[in-house]
């Protein structure tokens, strides 16, 4: 009996000891969490000194965890603590998203606070600006804790595809211009529009999509703009009319215009400052890869006239249209890959979406830690500063207004917001930066893109001059009873007479007839390229299945002539056309010359500084561009083009990084290519 009482007393004693131990552990955990919260408050007060290069090892250790009193229980947080069945605290189990509604340290605010309803807009904007500065400092430390690893590299390749699509779009027009001029019968006065329409769309698109990225998010804006580009780029390969083709290329350029400003802002918000210059420079290499891809596809596809097909004489799908389809593939690939990427957590924090941003930052941290072989390392951040949200009230007639009125008000409001965001770039303290950067962007874009469009025509002009030196001229020739079934090329007939001649199954290439008489002649299955009849006379002549359209007969007279089953549309042929291969190969070399400049800028960007690299690159590229004036041969022009491209790419990379770093989050997308 006594033994039973002793056993019961011992059991009660053990149970009491366990209860006391549990209570002690609870109190200890609360103290640890309180200490962690205090350490996190030190973000805003001490991070500025960290950016200036001062070491502050007392509150932030190399491993990414906070030191001080919390060292004994490193890595604990409200968001990652769990409890076992004995109510014992352990780390690593997700217990929900931390709340930002609590006052720090769990202490209630003392004294009355002024409600936002009674504050004017200037007060609210001042508070938001202060919150944004605090967030910028804290966000930098959070990104450092998340580390640089698998997540950033995955995003690097996805955004690289979008930047590659931009590089392809720049070169497409220059490559298809000679072929499209012939295929769509573009007059010389209209060829300039085809060369500039894409850049007009890119200019408007950069403004629109950059502003939209601040309203709907970086990822969403990039998805929409890339989808617009891919759709209209694909559609342009099928249209036959010149006006519709211009319209499609305009909207394609409008879509791709958002790629550069949004891509660099999007990627920079996942990078720590010490990684930003180098990795943004490496990202620029995809633009070069896009140029190489476009050059290689043009070289391999466009000259192959046999790849085309036609549906009657009205619809013709030539090889250059196949090239346009192939150039839309990088854009489509980028859209598909972007669907698997998250939104920028920095944008979400600016928009007041704390929980979504925290989850994405935790995803980045966990992805990188698992790749490093440290899956047990937990995300120690449990509260992130979110700027004060200023509500914009929109009055919409929900009851009496029609649906299109509500849509109109909504669209107008969004456009007004984009315009206001753009105008904020001209407010203090970023007004001077905007003016200077806009001038640099304009001059650099004018030189680089101008040369990209102009250079294929220069090569074509130099080749035409050399081709003209081999031209044969025949004057006062009388040709009678001859059957022409071969190709006539690079010839001029002046004051000649053709009597009872047959032109069957043949091609005229760069042939001109001036003041020539054709009597009792027969033209059948004739194809002409750059062939004209000027002030000629046709008597008793029959045309069957020929492509001799009226604009080729300048001031000519027809007497008793018949036309049967004539071909419509312009005829395009690259058979044995060495110049086409040469132009694409030259552009391939010019794009490949960018590679050394990309490597140099990536390695030296953070060492010599952004401004030093920008200024030096622009001076050297300007000097090389000046010597293009003295180019008299193809080899000299090609060499100077390669030199210019190699020198100017460092300026592009520097300017991209400078633009991202000089502007706050809500304004850095408005300046772009």
């Amino acid at each position: 009996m006594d033994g039973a009482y002793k056993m019961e007393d011992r059991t009660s004693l053990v149970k009491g000891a366990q209860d006391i131990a549990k209570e002690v552990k609870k109190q200890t955990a609360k103290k640890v969490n309180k200490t962690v919260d205090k350490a996190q408050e030190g973000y805003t007060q001490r991070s500025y000194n960290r950016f200036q290069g001062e070491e502050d090892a007392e509150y932030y250790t190399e491993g990414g965890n906070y030191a001080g009193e919390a060292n004994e229980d490193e890595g604990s947080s409200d968001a990652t603590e769990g409890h076992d069945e004995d109510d014992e605290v352990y780390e690593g189990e997700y217990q929900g998203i931390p709340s930002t509604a609590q006052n720090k340290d769990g202490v209630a605010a003392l004294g009355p606070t002024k409600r936002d309803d009674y504050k004017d807009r200037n007060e609210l904007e001042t508070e938001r600006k202060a919150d944004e500065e605090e967030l910028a400092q804290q966000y930098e430390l959070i990104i450092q804790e998340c580390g640089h690893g698998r997540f950033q590299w995955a995003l690097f390749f996805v955004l690289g595809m979008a930047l590659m699509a931009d590089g392809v779009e720049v070169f497409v027009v220059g490559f298809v211009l000679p072929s499209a001029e012939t295929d769509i019968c573009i007059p010389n006065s209209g060829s300039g529009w085809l060369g500039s329409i894409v850049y007009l769309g890119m200019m408007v698109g950069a403004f629109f999509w950059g502003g939209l990225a601040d309203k709907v998010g970086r990822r969403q804006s990039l998805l929409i703009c890339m989808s617009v580009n891919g759709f209209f780029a694909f559609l342009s390969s099928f249209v036959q009319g010149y006006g519709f083709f211009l319209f499609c290329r305009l909207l394609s350029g409008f879509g791709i215009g958002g790629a550069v400003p949004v891509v660099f802002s999007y990627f920079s918000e996942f990078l720590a400052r010490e990684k930003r210059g180098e990795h943004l420079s490496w990202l620029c290499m995809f633009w070069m890869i896009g140029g190489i891809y476009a050059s290689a596809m043009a070289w391999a596809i466009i000259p192959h006239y046999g790849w085309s097909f036609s549906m009657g004489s009205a619809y013709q799908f030539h090889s250059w249209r196949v090239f346009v389809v192939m150039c839309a593939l990088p854009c489509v690939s980028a859209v598909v890959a972007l669907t698997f990427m998250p939104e920028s957590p920095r944008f979400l924090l600016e928009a007041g979406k704390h929980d979504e941003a925290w989850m994405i930052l935790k995803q980045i941290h966990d992805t990188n830690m698992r790749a490093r072989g440290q899956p047990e390392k937990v995300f120690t951040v449990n509260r992130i500063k979110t700027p004060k949200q200023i509500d914009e009230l929109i009055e919409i007639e929900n009851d009496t207004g029609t649906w299109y009125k509500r849509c109109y008000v909504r669209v107008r409001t969004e456009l007004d917001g984009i315009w206001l965001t753009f105008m904020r770039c001209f407010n203090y303290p970023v007004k001077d930066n905007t003016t200077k950067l806009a001038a640099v962007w304009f001059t650099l874009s004018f030189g680089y893109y101008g040369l990209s469009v102009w250079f294929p025509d220069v090569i074509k002009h130099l080749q035409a001059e050399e081709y003209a030196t081999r031209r044969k001229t025949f004057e006062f020739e009388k040709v009678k009873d001859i059957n022409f079934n071969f190709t006539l090329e690079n010839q001029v007939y002046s004051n000649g007479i053709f009597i009872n001649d047959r032109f069957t199954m043949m091609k005229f290439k760069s042939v001109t007839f001036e003041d020539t008489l054709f009597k009792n002649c027969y033209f059948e299955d004739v194809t002409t390229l750059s062939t004209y009849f000027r002030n000629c006379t046709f008597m008793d002549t029959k045309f069957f299945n020929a492509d001799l359209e009226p604009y080729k007969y300048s001031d000519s007279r027809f007497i008793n002539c018949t036309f049967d089953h004539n071909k419509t549309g312009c005829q395009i042929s690259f058979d044995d056309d060495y110049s086409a291969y040469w132009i694409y190969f030259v552009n391939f070399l010019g794009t490949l010359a960018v590679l050394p400049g990309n490597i140099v800028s990536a390695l030296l960007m953070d060492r010599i500084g952004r401004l030093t690299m920008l200024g030096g690159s622009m001076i050297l590229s300007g000097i090389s561009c000046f010597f293009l004036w003295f180019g008299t041969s193809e080899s000299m022009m090609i060499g100077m083009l390669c030199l210019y491209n190699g020198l100017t790419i460092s300026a592009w990379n520097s300017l991209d990084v400078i633009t991202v770093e000089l502007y706050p989050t809500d304004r850095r997308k408005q300046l772009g290519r």
Side-chain angles (χ1 to χ4, degrees):
M1 194 71 172
D2 293 339
Y5 284 119
K6 290 181 180 180
M7 183 63 67
E8 184 178 353
D9 292 340
R10 183 178 301 175
T11 302
S12 302
L13 182 61
V14 172
K15 185 176 180 180
Q18 287 179 346
D19 293 339
I20 294 173
K22 289 179 182 179
E23 187 65 27
V24 170
K25 289 181 180 180
K26 288 182 181 179
Q27 297 300 325
T28 303
K30 290 181 180 179
K31 291 181 179 180
V32 170
N33 293 335
K34 189 174 181 180
T35 304
V36 172
D37 291 341
K38 288 182 178 180
Q40 288 175 337
E41 276 190 316
Y43 267 138
T44 59
Q45 299 177 4
R46 289 175 287 188
S47 57
Y48 180 76
N49 292 334
R50 179 179 176 82
F51 296 145
Q52 300 300 322
E54 297 181 10
E55 296 182 356
D56 193 0
E58 293 183 358
Y59 91 103
Y60 202 92
T61 63
E62 184 178 356
N65 296 306
Y66 306 104
E69 298 179 12
N71 280 342
E72 297 178 0
D73 197 4
E74 185 177 358
S76 63
S77 67
D78 293 343
T80 57
E81 286 180 353
H83 298 78
D84 60 13
E85 58 184 3
D86 291 329
D87 203 27
E88 294 185 359
V89 179
Y90 67 96
E91 297 176 7
E93 181 180 337
Y94 173 68
Q95 294 295 322
I97 299 173
S99 173
T100 58
Q102 309 172 30
N103 288 329
K104 293 183 178 181
D105 296 336
V107 180
L110 298 178
T113 58
K114 187 176 181 180
R115 292 179 56 187
D116 290 346
D117 298 343
Y118 300 104
K119 297 179 181 178
D120 59 20
R121 188 172 184 84
N122 290 334
E123 287 184 272
L124 295 175
E125 289 182 350
T126 301
E127 292 181 13
R128 178 176 174 83
K129 185 176 180 181
D131 292 343
E132 288 174 349
E133 293 176 356
E134 183 177 349
L135 171 62
Q137 298 170 10
Q138 184 184 8
Y139 189 81
E140 177 67 22
L141 296 177
I142 295 174
I143 288 295
Q144 290 178 3
E145 178 176 339
C146 291
H148 188 92
R150 176 180 295 174
F151 181 89
Q152 281 83 357
W153 284 113
L155 184 63
F156 173 82
F157 286 105
V158 172
L159 297 182
M161 292 296 295
L163 205 57
M164 179 179 171
D166 178 83
V168 169
E169 191 70 22
V170 169
F171 289 94
V172 164
V173 174
F175 289 153
V176 305
L177 188 58
S179 307
E181 285 177 345
T182 305
D183 190 17
I184 314 179
C185 303
I186 301 175
N188 291 332
S189 59
S191 61
W193 273 109
L194 184 58
S196 59
I197 196 71
V198 174
Y199 299 103
L200 177 62
M202 291 175 68
M203 180 183 68
V204 179
F207 167 79
F208 176 80
W209 299 113
L212 189 66
D214 289 325
K215 308 293 289 184
V216 301
R218 282 68 160 137
R219 173 181 172 273
Q220 190 70 14
S221 176
L222 192 58
L223 273 173
I224 298 174
C225 76
M226 297 298 294
S227 300
V228 170
N229 168 250
F231 175 77
F232 285 101
F234 184 78
L235 183 63
S236 67
S237 66
F238 294 94
V239 299
Q240 297 293 306
Y242 177 54
F244 198 16
F245 182 77
L246 277 181
F247 176 74
C248 289
R249 298 314 302 181
L250 172 66
L251 293 183
S252 175
F254 173 75
I256 203 62
V260 170
V262 178
V263 160
F264 284 99
S265 299
Y266 186 25
F267 192 45
S268 67
E269 292 171 0
F270 290 91
L271 297 173
R273 180 177 176 81
E274 62 268 15
K275 299 283 187 179
R276 196 172 298 152
E278 177 184 353
H279 285 80
L280 288 180
S281 298
W282 288 123
L283 185 64
C284 291
M285 291 189 65
F286 282 93
W287 196 90
M288 175 203 70
I289 295 173
I292 293 176
Y293 174 83
S295 302
M297 289 296 102
W299 190 16
I301 296 175
I302 295 181
H304 294 281
Y305 180 68
W307 290 16
S308 63
F309 68 90
S310 61
M311 299 174 62
S313 59
Y315 186 86
Q316 299 181 9
F317 195 90
H318 292 303
S319 56
W320 69 269
R321 298 180 182 273
V322 179
F323 165 71
V324 174
V325 173
M326 294 300 296
C327 287
L329 294 182
C331 181
V332 175
S333 302
V335 171
V336 174
L338 272 171
T339 58
F340 298 96
M341 292 292 108
E343 181 57 81
S344 165
R346 179 65 183 271
F347 165 78
L348 295 175
L349 290 170
E350 294 277 359
K353 300 178 181 180
H354 174 275
D355 294 350
E356 296 178 35
W358 187 90
M359 289 294 294
I360 293 173
L361 289 170
K362 186 177 186 300
Q363 175 189 351
I364 299 171
H365 175 276
D366 294 346
T367 301
N368 291 337
M369 292 305 109
R370 284 194 298 267
R372 294 180 183 179
Q374 301 174 328
E376 74 283 353
K377 193 169 184 180
V378 297
F379 187 47
T380 62
V381 178
N382 66 345
R383 293 192 187 95
I384 308 174
K385 183 66 178 180
T386 54
K388 181 178 291 295
Q389 302 302 303
I390 303 177
D391 295 331
E392 298 287 348
L393 299 179
I394 303 174
E395 184 177 354
I396 301 179
E397 301 176 2
N398 291 315
D399 298 329
T400 59
T402 58
W403 66 269
Y404 59 85
K405 286 184 178 180
R406 292 194 294 271
C407 291
Y408 169 75
V409 172
R410 176 63 63 182
V411 171
R412 185 187 64 184
T413 303
E414 295 297 333
L415 293 178
D416 288 343
I418 293 174
W419 176 254
L420 290 175
T421 302
F422 173 73
M423 294 306 297
R424 289 174 62 190
C425 295
F426 296 92
N427 295 338
Y428 179 83
V430 297
K431 179 179 180 180
D432 291 340
N433 292 340
T434 301
T435 305
K436 296 172 184 177
L437 282 175
V440 177
W441 275 105
F442 174 80
T443 54
L444 200 57
S445 301
F446 181 82
Y448 191 88
Y449 292 137
L451 285 177
S452 299
V453 176
W454 171 73
F455 194 76
D457 283 341
V458 171
I459 297 296
K460 185 179 178 182
H461 175 71
L462 292 174
Q463 291 177 341
E465 287 184 342
E466 191 273 335
Y467 188 71
T469 60
R470 297 185 279 111
R471 181 174 298 159
K472 296 180 180 180
T473 303
F474 302 92
E475 295 183 350
F476 303 101
E477 291 282 334
K478 185 175 181 180
V479 183
K480 185 177 181 180
D481 299 326
I482 299 296
N483 184 15
F484 292 90
N485 57 2
F486 48 87
T487 299
L488 291 180
E489 181 178 357
N490 200 19
Q491 298 177 4
V492 176
Y493 291 87
S494 179
N495 297 298
I497 299 176
F498 291 83
I499 301 176
N500 200 28
D501 295 315
R502 295 177 63 87
F503 302 88
T504 59
M505 303 292 291
M506 66 167 299
K507 296 180 181 179
F508 291 95
K509 184 176 180 180
S510 299
V511 180
T512 303
F513 296 92
E514 298 176 345
D515 302 312
T516 300
L517 172 65
F518 294 87
K519 185 176 181 180
N520 294 324
C521 294
Y522 181 73
F523 292 84
E524 181 181 357
D525 290 327
V526 173
T527 301
T528 61
L529 184 64
S530 300
T531 298
Y532 303 96
F533 299 84
R534 296 178 180 141
N535 198 28
C536 295
T537 301
F538 296 86
M539 298 178 61
D540 302 319
T541 299
K542 184 176 181 180
F543 298 88
F544 180 81
N545 198 30
D547 68 344
L548 301 176
E549 297 191 27
Y551 75 92
K552 297 182 179 181
Y553 304 100
S554 177
D555 299 324
S556 296
R557 297 176 300 278
F558 297 88
I559 302 173
N560 195 25
C561 297
T562 59
F563 296 85
D564 294 329
H565 302 287
N566 281 348
K567 301 176 184 178
T568 59
C570 301
Q571 304 302 311
I572 181 173
S573 175
F574 279 96
D575 292 349
D576 302 323
D577 193 352
Y578 172 73
S579 62
Y581 289 95
W582 184 242
I583 290 176
Y584 306 137
F585 180 68
V586 167
N587 278 274
F588 176 82
L589 292 178
T591 308
L592 193 62
V594 172
L595 180 60
N598 261 317
I599 296 175
V600 170
S601 62
L603 296 178
L604 300 182
M605 180 76 71
D606 295 320
R607 297 185 180 182
I608 67 175
R610 283 77 157 139
L611 291 177
T612 303
M613 180 168 289
L614 175 63
S617 176
M618 293 190 69
I619 292 174
L620 293 177
S621 60
I623 294 174
S624 65
C625 185
F626 173 76
F627 283 103
L628 287 172
W629 176 267
F630 303 100
T632 56
S633 64
E634 290 184 46
S635 58
M636 184 176 180
M637 294 292 291
I638 293 170
M640 296 308 300
L641 175 70
C642 293
L643 180 61
Y644 174 80
N645 288 350
L647 292 173
T648 194
I649 192 63
S650 298
W652 280 117
N653 297 351
S654 304
L655 192 57
D656 289 330
V657 178
I658 289 173
T659 304
V660 168
E661 293 182 341
L662 283 184
Y663 285 87
T665 306
D666 59 344
R667 276 172 276 187
R668 61 170 58 129
K669 280 76 59 194
Q670 290 293 340
L671 292 178
R673 294 181 190 178

